[in-house]
Amino acid sequence: MKAIVNDMIVNLHGKPDTTSELVDEILYGMTVNILEFCDELWVRVQTAYRYEGYCLKEKLIIDDAKASQWQGEANNVIIQNFADILVGPKIQSTKIATLVKGSVVIVVEENDLNQEWSKVKLASGDVGYTRSYWIQHAIADTVSEEEFRENVVQTALSYLTTPYRWGGKSPLGIDCSGLCSMAYMLNGVLIYRDAKIVDGFPIKQITLEQIQKGDLLYFPGHIAMYMGDDLYVHSSLGGNEVSVNSLNEKHPHYRKDLATTITAVGSLFAKELVH
């Protein structure tokens, strides 16, 4: 059974209890598989990137046919931190919903880049308008490797100063694996949402000597994205927000605790890198 996320941000908990650990967040328009109906309030779900947790049923549209159709048609993501969906194509219009970066919608009418507004359809069936440049069609294979690497780094950097939130992955708060997984997702690639390399996902291990912009650095319980020039961007519990640090001990933002504890390096382009 499939379902569609029908709220701006929906918490995934470790147990069917709102006071239990937040293990992940799922954003508006994402689809999930329902693994178990726990009781009248809770369901256990699995995300597209195979993460599992418990969420409130009231936050989902539970309809296998609708969810399957939505999954096939909704290929547009919000790239603005926060985007209002309005009843009409003007700023004074009534708000239907507010969505965060990473939310999924259907573009009903493709607009020229010079046009300010795009008509979009929500999972609820409501139709509204939002700024055209706040929406992106996420397909990774339309760009070169060099462009993808640059794009994924710039996407990660767009979260700079976002507060650290355990299990978070929105501009309201994001953790280390949330940052890296969202940067890739917003560029059309689903990677594992955790600080480790997992079989069955596109990130493969490479050596530190092969690292390039956009590759991932793994530490004990932590993950960061390499930016080039010994710099990396990450959401750090120690720093309390998304920030940039360095692997170079002579750099003012060097962090010895991370630079000396790298456990692995991963790349989407491992086949081209490993000899």
Side-chain angles (χ1 to χ4, degrees), residues 79-192:
I79 57 172
Q80 176 72 3
N81 280 350
F82 302 95
D84 286 339
I85 308 299
L86 307 174
V87 296
K90 59 180 182 179
I91 199 66
Q92 297 87 353
S93 298
T94 302
K95 181 182 69 175
I96 300 172
T98 299
L99 305 182
V100 296
K101 183 185 296 187
S103 300
V104 183
V105 296
I106 293 174
V107 173
V108 179
E109 294 178 1
E110 294 282 357
N111 279 345
D112 185 276
L113 290 177
N114 293 324
Q115 292 183 297
E116 186 176 1
W117 299 92
S118 285
K119 188 176 182 180
V120 299
K121 183 178 180 180
L122 302 178
S124 62
D126 292 326
V127 174
Y129 294 83
T130 195
R131 308 276 187 178
S132 298
Y133 53 89
W134 288 354
I135 308 171
Q136 177 175 288
H137 189 60
I139 299 179
D141 60 4
T142 59
V143 298
S144 66
E145 177 183 331
E146 183 180 4
E147 289 174 309
F148 181 88
R149 288 182 179 279
E150 179 63 31
N151 290 346
V152 79
V153 167
Q154 291 306 315
T155 301
L157 289 172
S158 73
Y159 288 90
L160 273 178
T161 73
T162 297
Y164 182 92
R165 174 187 286 177
W166 182 271
K169 62 180 190 188
S170 85
L172 287 170
I174 200 163
D175 66 12
C176 62
S177 58
L179 174 68
C180 293
S181 63
M182 286 303 298
Y184 271 81
M185 192 216 79
L186 287 164
N187 286 282
V189 176
L190 289 180
I191 66 172
Y192 190 60

Side-chain angles (χ1 to χ4, degrees), residues 10-29:
V10 174
N11 293 338
L12 283 191
H13 292 274
K15 298 178 181 179
D17 181 346
T18 55
T19 63
S20 67
E21 179 188 359
L22 178 68
V23 297
D24 194 11
E25 292 177 336
I26 43 179
L27 309 180
Y28 186 91

Side-chain angles (χ1 to χ4, degrees):
M1 175 73 72
K2 294 183 182 295
I4 313 169
V5 178
N6 195 35
D7 207 351
M8 182 172 72
I9 301 172
V10 174
N11 293 338
L12 283 191
H13 292 274
K15 298 178 181 179
D17 181 346
T18 55
T19 63
S20 67
E21 179 188 359
L22 178 68
V23 297
D24 194 11
E25 292 177 336
I26 43 179
L27 309 180
Y28 186 91
M30 292 182 171
T31 56
V32 294
N33 291 319
I34 296 180
L35 303 177
E36 178 186 0
F37 289 89
C38 304
D39 54 34
E40 292 183 358
L41 297 178
W42 291 89
V43 289
R44 183 166 65 94
V45 303
Q46 183 185 61
T47 67
Y49 41 91
R50 303 206 312 251
Y51 233 64
E52 296 181 12
Y54 297 87
C55 73
L56 292 166
K57 284 196 294 186
E58 66 182 18
K59 305 293 187 180
L60 305 174
I61 298 173
I62 301 175
D63 186 310
D64 204 45
K66 285 184 179 179
S68 294
Q69 182 177 0
W70 178 263
Q71 192 172 25
E73 296 177 359
N75 293 318
N76 299 277
V77 293
I78 301 296
I79 57 172
Q80 176 72 3
N81 280 350
F82 302 95
D84 286 339
I85 308 299
L86 307 174
V87 296
K90 59 180 182 179
I91 199 66
Q92 297 87 353
S93 298
T94 302
K95 181 182 69 175
I96 300 172
T98 299
L99 305 182
V100 296
K101 183 185 296 187
S103 300
V104 183
V105 296
I106 293 174
V107 173
V108 179
E109 294 178 1
E110 294 282 357
N111 279 345
D112 185 276
L113 290 177
N114 293 324
Q115 292 183 297
E116 186 176 1
W117 299 92
S118 285
K119 188 176 182 180
V120 299
K121 183 178 180 180
L122 302 178
S124 62
D126 292 326
V127 174
Y129 294 83
T130 195
R131 308 276 187 178
S132 298
Y133 53 89
W134 288 354
I135 308 171
Q136 177 175 288
H137 189 60
I139 299 179
D141 60 4
T142 59
V143 298
S144 66
E145 177 183 331
E146 183 180 4
E147 289 174 309
F148 181 88
R149 288 182 179 279
E150 179 63 31
N151 290 346
V152 79
V153 167
Q154 291 306 315
T155 301
L157 289 172
S158 73
Y159 288 90
L160 273 178
T161 73
T162 297
Y164 182 92
R165 174 187 286 177
W166 182 271
K169 62 180 190 188
S170 85
L172 287 170
I174 200 163
D175 66 12
C176 62
S177 58
L179 174 68
C180 293
S181 63
M182 286 303 298
Y184 271 81
M185 192 216 79
L186 287 164
N187 286 282
V189 176
L190 289 180
I191 66 172
Y192 190 60
R193 192 254 197 270
D194 214 340
K196 57 184 176 181
I197 298 174
V198 174
D199 288 341
F201 287 87
I203 300 299
K204 306 299 180 185
Q205 189 163 354
I206 61 172
T207 65
L208 183 59
E209 290 72 26
Q210 294 171 311
I211 196 169
Q212 295 187 47
K213 181 182 294 188
D215 291 337
L216 301 174
L217 289 160
Y218 295 86
F219 314 87
H222 190 55
I223 182 175
M225 181 178 293
Y226 187 68
M227 298 167 50
D229 298 322
D230 291 329
L231 299 173
Y232 57 91
V233 57
H234 62 143
S235 183
S236 169
L237 178 59
N240 294 317
E241 64 181 19
V242 177
S243 56
V244 173
N245 286 102
S246 177
L247 298 173
N248 187 337
E249 61 182 0
K250 296 182 180 179
H251 195 282
H253 296 299
Y254 173 69
R255 279 190 55 172
K256 182 178 179 180
D257 62 322
L258 294 177
T260 58
T261 58
I262 297 171
T263 58
V265 180
S267 178
L268 179 66
F269 303 99
K271 288 182 178 179
E272 287 80 13
L273 297 175
V274 175
H275 299 290

